[in-house]
Every structure is written in structure tokens, then in C-alpha cells.
Amino acid sequence: LRARCPRVFVAGFSMGGTLARALAQRHELAGVSTISAPVFLCRLFPYFSPDPLLFCSGLLRFWRPRLAASAPRPESRRIAPWQGYEGAHFVRPLHSFKVAAGKVRQGLGRVTAPILVLHGARDRAVHPDNAWGILSRVSSARRELHLLHMRETLTSGHLLVTHEETRASVSALVLG
């Protein structure tokens, strides 16, 4: 991109936000935006895990290829449309992501580009403490955090980019 554009910005949602931070550690960027992005998926203290089996993914990946996940309700789908993985969490890729997220977390001090962190205030898939984990570790002189609030309580609060209450704000903040 740098060959075509003098300034490069990256933005990513969830795992894509972790990848955006990895790029920001390796390349000089004009800015980086992360949306609902994890630095951890589960932790013991203070306790958070959307599924307690996440703690065992390193061992579990050898015996159980996937974990069942509940299907979204039709009303949830209307509020926050999503096409992607559903019905199961595949353990090997999930464990690989946990390991990679840890490596990216360790290198956050190398991120110097201006950073915008967007997170759902009540995200039940990627805990909101992840936003603070990003901001507290980067070396960026310009840091901006927006915790987005939603009135509804049916969805996980994770899909900010498609959620009817937050998608316009996400677009405006990332493009602004």
C-alpha cells in the first residue's frame, strides 16, 4: 500500500483489530483503529471467560476439535446482522489465536501510530477491559477510546460494526 499511498491507516474488527495492532508494531502507519479487539479472551483475575473451556484450549485441541455454541435468535440477527462462523467454535484455531494475541499484547509498546479504540461497554464476547489493555500498553502519543453503549440486551454487544445502535457511530469515528 505504501507504494501507492503516502499515508496508510489500518482498522480491524475483533481478531482483525488484533491483526491491525500487529501491523502497527511492524510498520509505520498514519493511524490504527481497533473495534472490539482482544488482548485476552479469558483471564482468571478478575475472572472473565465467555466459555470456561477456553482456559483448557491448549490441551482440549488434541481431543475435541470444536465446542458447541448457541445459535443466535432471529431477533438478535435483525439487531446485529452477521454472516460468519456460528454453531461451533473450532478449538485449534481458537487456541492459535489466543497464543498470537498474547504475542501481539507483548509488543504493544512498539505501537506509536495514533490509535482509536472502540469497544462495546457491555461486550460479553471480548471483555471491555481489553480496550484498557490496549491503551495502557501502546506508546502512541495520540490515544482515543470510545466505549459504545447499547440499550438492548439481547445480543452479546460485540458486533459494533453491524449493530443497529452503533454502526453509524463506528463509521463516523473510524472515518473521522
Side-chain angles (χ1 to χ4, degrees), residues 4-165:
R4 292 180 168 185
C5 308
R7 295 175 24 169
V8 177
F9 295 82
V10 295
F13 165 69
S14 199
M15 179 173 64
T18 302
L19 294 171
R21 290 190 319 269
L23 284 170
Q25 291 174 20
R26 294 178 177 89
H27 303 282
E28 188 175 323
L29 300 172
V32 60
S33 297
T34 68
I35 306 158
S36 303
V39 289
F40 68 87
L41 294 176
C42 57
R43 68 175 179 204
L44 287 173
F45 185 77
Y47 179 80
F48 173 78
S49 183
D51 184 336
L53 291 175
L54 280 174
F55 290 105
C56 307
S57 64
L59 293 173
L60 198 59
R61 65 191 163 130
F62 296 110
W63 292 283
R64 196 165 173 191
R66 62 183 168 180
L67 303 173
S70 60
R73 297 183 197 164
E75 181 63 9
S76 173
R77 174 83 56 167
R78 184 194 64 73
I79 294 168
W82 176 252
Q83 292 292 321
Y85 52 90
E86 290 178 341
H89 299 291
F90 294 91
V91 179
R92 282 184 188 262
L94 188 59
H95 180 71
S96 176
F97 177 62
K98 276 178 48 182
V99 171
K103 290 178 182 175
V104 172
R105 179 179 57 243
Q106 291 171 355
L108 282 175
R110 294 192 305 270
V111 175
T112 58
I115 187 163
L116 169 67
V117 177
L118 307 178
H119 213 96
R122 58 164 202 83
D123 190 330
R124 291 189 307 269
V126 176
H127 195 279
D129 282 357
N130 281 279
W132 301 111
I134 295 167
L135 287 181
S136 67
R137 290 178 173 92
V138 296
S139 297
S140 307
R142 183 167 173 231
R143 306 170 199 197
E144 192 173 329
L145 169 65
H146 293 269
L147 290 176
L148 303 177
H149 297 272
M150 299 170 210
R151 289 182 303 276
E152 66 82 19
T153 58
L154 181 63
T155 69
S156 70
H158 184 64
L159 296 172
L160 299 179
V161 295
T162 62
H163 195 284
E164 67 184 10
E165 292 183 44

